[in-house]
Amino acid sequence: MTQPTVSMQVKQLAKAVGLPLFEQIGKRLYLTIAGKELFSTCKELFDRLSEFDSTIANLKGLKQGTLRLSVITTAKYIIPRLLGLFSQRYPGVDISLKVTNHESISERLLNNQDDLYVMSQLPQDFDVNVYPFLENPLVVLAPRSHPLVKEKNIPLKRLANELFIMREPGSGTRQAVQKLFEDHDIKVRVKLDLGSNEAIKQAIAGGLGISVLSRHTLVSESMNSEIVVLDVEHFPIRRHWYVVYPTGKQLSIVANTFFDYLQHEGKAIAEQTFLNNL
Ligand code: PGA
């Protein structure tokens, strides 16, 4: 829809409700109480309709409906591959895949926005069902020409002399790296904050510094890639990907089928992909 059409529709909606749905403060629009009520009512209706669709599809013996997934940035190197086979098997299933960082996934989980979540750090104070899926080791990456490349078991404190490229605040990778440095009382000089694993790889190759990223980000690098893993003590930082959903959530038939597929086949397919690529 065009923007004027949307404005017109929203006006008509407010008229039908009989109360304003938005208020403008400065340049920002906020939902009024009536707006919030309408929003949550509509959300419940759409959720119920989507459950109804899957129930009917199931009664007809078909796997249909939408699978809503949120995965952390490092999982984007494998989940789309797993979705490929799943989608061939169940062509009636549409997929909505959100790739984002730890902070934003945690928010989506709290707000019950998706069916399943793939994350590395489990939420505290929020009950979830958890399936540990795969390892997600974090490694130190440097350009191939870096003087430390040939060294073995490099002491952690040597990294303090290096320029560092760090993931953005809100990233789980960043939190894990900062914790390791804090635990060993090491301060690194952060030259650059970047919100993308791929951009960080380019920055390393461009000589801007070294960084710590998931080993999975190397999955499509060739043998003579411009970036290499340094052998630093205390690395790799051991992490896991978990498949998670809120305790008590009624998984749709499609989400249940995908969860089963991850448990029974996904792990083997993912491990094979890494073996072939690393
Ligand atoms: P991130 O997620 O994208 O938030 O860094 C990766 C992780 O938590 O392992």
Side-chain angles (χ1 to χ4, degrees):
M1 275 191 248
T2 61
Q3 199 257 322
T5 317
V6 174
S7 303
M8 177 67 77
Q9 300 273 358
V10 171
K11 257 194 202 134
Q12 282 178 3
L13 190 59
K15 208 166 153 198
V17 173
L19 284 172
L21 302 175
F22 292 98
E23 55 197 359
Q24 185 163 5
I25 298 175
K27 284 198 174 140
R28 290 197 57 183
L29 278 180
Y30 294 88
L31 283 177
T32 58
I33 294 178
K36 283 184 187 156
E37 283 297 325
L38 180 63
F39 176 73
S40 64
T41 308
C42 289
K43 187 168 176 312
E44 273 168 40
L45 281 176
F46 284 124
D47 287 350
R48 288 289 296 129
L49 279 175
S50 137
E51 273 168 35
F52 173 74
D53 275 351
S54 334
T55 310
I56 293 299
N58 194 44
L59 289 175
K60 289 181 187 162
L62 298 170
K63 294 281 188 283
Q64 279 185 347
T66 302
L67 172 65
R68 283 167 307 186
L69 297 175
S70 265
V71 308
I72 46 166
T73 62
T74 50
K76 78 166 181 205
Y77 295 92
I78 192 66
I79 296 292
R81 290 171 192 246
L82 297 178
L83 283 169
L85 183 60
F86 184 78
S87 151
Q88 277 167 25
R89 205 174 283 172
Y90 304 106
V93 174
D94 296 327
I95 298 159
S96 150
L97 175 64
K98 175 92 190 160
V99 179
T100 185
N101 71 12
H102 169 73
E103 188 175 80
S104 152
I105 295 254
S106 307
E107 243 174 67
R108 294 182 72 88
L109 175 69
L110 281 179
N111 295 327
N112 191 22
Q113 277 175 274
D114 307 284
D115 296 318
L116 295 169
Y117 307 80
V118 178
M119 61 201 308
S120 290
Q121 251 166 282
L122 296 174
Q124 289 164 350
D125 314 325
F126 187 69
D127 280 344
V128 284
N129 290 337
V130 176
Y131 167 64
F133 183 45
L134 276 181
E135 288 192 1
N136 177 27
L138 304 184
V139 293
V140 185
L141 298 176
R144 189 170 280 283
S145 56
H146 196 282
L148 290 178
V149 166
K150 292 201 182 70
E151 295 197 25
K152 292 261 167 280
N153 205 18
I154 302 159
L156 191 60
K157 58 177 184 308
R158 292 274 298 272
L159 300 191
N161 306 326
E162 299 292 327
L163 294 180
F164 228 82
I165 308 165
M166 198 64 106
R167 283 283 307 276
E168 77 289 359
S171 141
T173 307
R174 179 186 175 110
Q175 280 176 23
V177 178
Q178 282 181 331
K179 177 160 185 330
L180 179 76
F181 288 147
E182 271 163 32
D183 287 351
H184 292 86
D185 222 6
I186 287 173
K187 286 210 166 44
V188 290
R189 187 163 152 228
V190 178
K191 171 86 177 160
L192 183 65
D193 266 348
L194 264 182
S196 140
N197 297 317
E198 286 305 304
I200 291 186
K201 280 163 54 185
Q202 294 304 323
I204 297 171
L208 276 166
I210 65 169
S211 188
V212 175
L213 291 180
S214 163
R215 196 195 289 278
H216 295 297
T217 62
L218 300 176
V219 78
S220 46
E221 296 293 319
S222 64
M223 287 293 281
N224 38 17
S225 157
E226 291 167 284
I227 48 180
V228 286
V229 176
L230 294 185
D231 180 9
V232 181
E233 66 171 352
H234 303 297
F235 280 92
I237 301 176
R238 304 216 169 269
R239 281 163 80 73
H240 269 88
W241 285 328
Y242 301 98
V243 185
V244 170
Y245 63 93
T247 306
K249 182 175 173 76
Q250 222 26 61
L251 282 188
S252 69
I253 286 109
V254 168
N256 236 325
T257 311
F258 187 67
F259 192 50
D260 268 6
Y261 164 76
L262 284 184
Q263 284 178 300
H264 296 113
E265 296 171 71
K267 201 164 173 161
I269 299 172
E271 280 168 355
Q272 196 52 45
T273 307
F274 294 137
L275 282 181
N276 291 343
N277 286 283
L278 286 180

